[in-house]
Amino acid sequence: MVLPDHGSNPQNTYKAMDIRMPEQIVDLSANINPIGPPTGLKKIWKDLIDEIVTYPDPHSVALRKSIARKEGIEPEAILIGNGGAELIHLIGRWLSRSNVMIIHPTFSEYEKACQINDCTIHHFILKENDWDLDLNRLKVTLPKMDAVFICNPTNPTGVLYSASKLEEIIMEANNEQCCVIVDEAFYDFPLEEITVAPLVKKYTNLIVLRSMTKMFSIPGIRLGFLMAGETVVRELENYQVHWSVNGIAQRVGETLLEEKDFIRQTQYMVKKEREKLFAFFDESQFRYSPSQTNFYLLRDPSLNEQTELFRFLLENGIVSRHTHNFKGLDGRWLRFAVKGELEHGKLMDALTEWKSRP
Ligand SMILES: Cc1ncc(COP(=O)(O)O)c(C=O)c1O
């Protein structure tokens, strides 16, 4: 059985588990905004056809300027990517043959991008249940590292670290000429948006990654960006395929930057739905990660490895994300996206049925 590396594309999970996919499913395996794309995007959709007859701006100048205004940094400190995933792979190439530390459990693409570029990878595995970041333990490793990857809030636990904690790491790493990559792909889902983006003006060893595909529900379009010192941005851009970010994505990105009310609405909805679910998990004795974002880990403490629950849910049309390829979790948890009331009703019904099995 070879399970897919990522969430989404549920048909692949059903195939790998050799289970017939029911006609109606609730896909909780991908951490995409349950509200769907904002109406502002739907309004411009028809006009986007104009973009397909010309080559896109290879430097995404207009979008970079808009992001720069929003983030209070220079456009030269920004690189737009064909999704955050492309930028992770550009960073991997830029780090070729370096010593890289990855804080786990985390998004598997960091390791993949570093592995294919012959990096020596060191794994810093956080203690299960609270996944707290022990700064003292991390600090002693930094002198031997060229780079360290941190995801905040962390995929898959949903744990959110404070900006001051991250700045301590960035500062310490700066003294050791070690680069810190902070992936903020989900930074805008918690009500309190924690970011270290303003620090790119202060620390040349910092790269901040963002994805626009999660909040705005556009994983099919592919759009992300990174913020870093101008020299680093130029070096990374050298590796990027010319015209990598298509014209539709660039126009869509500019429109989405205006969607402040949509983001606020999402943040309140996610918090409300997550809290309702967590109250249910407490009552029905499931364990969950202390998530502050739009996904969380769940486990039935009566099982070690959760495949039996994963299978039961799939058979009942609920698709979660396995954690076999997350170091430090190794299948002992399942990851679920926070969605709406309807989806959660179905999830709670299935979990209640699971608990009442003879
Ligand atoms: C933590 C994290 N970073 C980056 C990405 C890449 O997102 P995208 O390429 O859709 O922008 C993902 C996608 O799942 C992710 O979970």
Side-chain angles (χ1 to χ4, degrees):
M1 172 180 75
V2 182
L3 287 167
D5 282 349
H6 295 287
S8 76
N9 311 113
Q11 67 282 2
N12 297 339
T13 304
Y14 276 97
K15 194 165 170 217
M17 292 291 287
D18 199 20
I19 301 172
R20 195 188 62 81
M21 184 159 131
E23 249 165 55
Q24 302 277 333
I25 58 157
V26 175
D27 184 6
L28 304 176
S29 71
N31 304 326
I32 303 298
N33 190 335
I35 300 176
T39 45
L41 176 54
K42 291 175 189 154
K43 276 193 203 138
I44 63 154
W45 191 248
K46 273 209 235 110
D47 301 337
L48 294 175
I49 190 123
D50 296 343
E51 298 297 332
I52 67 173
V53 293
T54 52
Y55 277 90
D57 172 1
H59 306 294
S60 308
V61 172
L63 180 56
R64 275 166 60 195
K65 278 189 184 156
S66 302
I67 294 172
R69 259 195 311 276
K70 179 174 170 281
E71 301 293 337
I73 57 176
E74 294 301 317
E76 292 73 22
I78 295 166
L79 179 63
I80 314 292
N82 189 293
E86 183 197 27
L87 299 167
I88 291 168
H89 280 263
L90 293 180
I91 294 170
R93 189 155 167 208
W94 179 71
L95 290 172
S96 264
R97 289 185 282 279
S98 305
N99 273 304
V100 176
M101 171 74 85
I102 299 177
I103 299 180
H104 295 279
T106 200
F107 188 45
S108 58
E109 287 299 309
Y110 314 142
E111 186 170 350
K112 190 169 160 197
C114 292
Q115 220 162 37
I116 57 178
N117 288 291
D118 299 321
C119 293
T120 305
I121 304 171
H122 305 258
H123 303 290
F124 188 91
I125 298 185
L126 299 176
K127 242 181 34 239
E128 197 160 306
N129 297 326
D130 64 357
W131 293 280
D132 194 23
L133 195 49
D134 179 346
L135 285 190
N136 292 332
R137 186 159 78 91
L138 181 64
K139 276 179 190 171
V140 293
T141 66
L142 293 177
K144 292 185 219 99
M145 296 301 139
D146 298 306
V148 52
F149 279 87
I150 305 176
C151 189
N152 199 46
T154 306
N155 177 6
T157 60
V159 170
L160 182 64
Y161 302 112
S162 67
S164 58
K165 195 164 199 170
L166 294 180
E167 183 165 7
E168 219 178 309
I169 301 169
I170 296 159
M171 204 164 48
E172 189 82 15
N174 200 32
N175 295 338
E176 305 295 342
Q177 276 104 46
C178 168
C179 172
V180 181
I181 300 111
V182 181
D183 184 347
E184 297 184 343
F186 297 97
Y187 97 104
D188 42 6
F189 282 93
L191 258 177
E192 189 195 355
E193 293 179 10
I194 290 182
T195 177
V196 289
L199 298 181
V200 297
K201 289 192 284 198
K202 190 168 165 192
Y203 299 102
T204 51
N205 68 323
L206 173 63
I207 301 179
V208 180
L209 265 173
R210 295 271 180 85
S211 166
M212 293 185 78
T213 70
K214 321 291 186 187
M215 172 54 72
F216 301 112
S217 229
I218 54 160
I221 288 184
R222 318 300 307 127
L223 187 62
F225 60 95
L226 63 76
M227 295 168 275
E230 292 176 26
T231 314
V232 173
V233 167
R234 266 198 310 275
E235 286 172 12
L236 288 167
E237 194 173 11
N238 278 337
Y239 293 127
Q240 191 173 35
V241 171
H242 208 68
W243 305 305
S244 176
V245 184
N246 71 71
I248 293 176
Q250 293 183 35
R251 280 273 302 280
V252 165
E254 279 192 74
T255 301
L256 295 179
L257 288 176
E258 307 294 321
E259 295 283 353
K260 292 192 190 79
D261 291 347
F262 174 84
I263 296 176
R264 221 47 188 159
Q265 182 198 354
T266 302
Q267 291 170 343
Y268 279 110
M269 179 197 169
V270 164
K271 184 172 189 291
K272 188 170 122 220
E273 290 302 326
R274 193 183 59 230
E275 283 173 357
K276 277 198 290 187
L277 275 176
F278 285 5
F280 168 80
F281 297 152
D282 282 333
E283 247 170 59
S284 43
Q285 291 170 359
F286 284 95
R287 299 264 302 279
Y288 54 90
S289 59
S291 167
Q292 296 199 51
T293 188
N294 61 319
F295 49 84
Y296 56 89
L297 293 175
L298 180 86
R299 72 189 305 264
D300 180 340
S302 69
L303 303 173
N304 180 27
E305 208 261 345
Q306 304 287 308
T307 304
E308 212 185 313
L309 175 58
F310 184 60
R311 173 176 288 280
F312 175 87
L313 291 173
L314 284 171
E315 284 166 353
N316 285 277
I318 310 268
V319 188
S320 62
R321 162 75 159 91
H322 74 89
T323 60
H324 288 283
N325 63 338
F326 284 109
K327 283 199 174 54
L329 297 181
D330 313 302
R332 288 186 304 280
W333 297 80
L334 298 174
R335 193 195 69 195
F336 295 77
V338 174
K339 298 274 171 184
E341 223 172 334
L342 187 75
E343 291 90 343
H344 291 167
K346 291 185 178 167
L347 172 63
M348 290 191 274
D349 286 350
L351 290 174
T352 305
E353 206 180 315
W354 163 261
K355 282 282 182 181
S356 61
R357 287 164 315 137

